[in-house]
Amino acid sequence: MARKKKGAQLVMEGLQGLAFGEVNDAVRLAFSDEMPSPEMLSGMNLFNVSEIKRDKGGGVEIRFFDRLKALEKLYEYAHAGDSGAAAASLLEALAGADDDAV
């Protein structure tokens, strides 16, 4: 039971990060003239980034996860306690994800 609570809590924290997280490091990366070192990249918070493309001309395109969708999911899970069904399906999905990863 504790494992299921931990998984649900991780999902909630991830959604909160997507909905409210900062994108400063991604913007810094987009405007940098040269590629940062691996050490510098490992220290950057790029959690909200879904895709990075660099074209041949040197331009950079960065796509972010949809904050509105993350907020909608947070709202759904916050109100899932009223019905219980959404929370149960979330926990089942989390439990199934562990089985698939092994």
Side-chain angles (χ1 to χ4, degrees):
M1 187 77 170
R3 182 180 174 132
K4 289 183 180 180
K5 280 187 177 180
K6 184 178 181 181
Q9 183 63 31
L10 287 173
V11 170
M12 293 296 287
E13 289 173 4
L15 287 171
Q16 288 171 350
L18 291 176
F20 304 112
E22 295 182 3
V23 295
N24 298 354
D25 287 340
V27 171
R28 188 176 301 117
L29 181 62
F31 285 101
S32 65
D33 291 332
E34 47 189 66
M35 188 64 149
S37 67
E39 296 83 20
M40 192 175 209
L41 280 173
S42 67
M44 290 182 157
N45 178 2
L46 301 174
F47 185 76
N48 287 350
V49 175
S50 67
E51 185 178 352
I52 298 176
K53 289 183 183 179
R54 185 176 292 265
D55 63 21
K56 292 179 183 176
V60 176
E61 178 182 339
I62 298 180
R63 292 182 184 218
F64 297 96
F65 288 103
D66 190 335
R67 289 182 186 262
L68 184 57
K69 285 183 184 178
L71 284 169
E72 288 172 354
K73 289 296 179 188
L74 279 171
Y75 182 81
E76 286 176 21
Y77 295 146
H79 291 85
D82 299 338
S83 67
S89 67
L90 170 64
L91 294 176
E92 287 176 22
L94 289 171
D98 287 344
D99 295 341
D100 293 342
V102 174

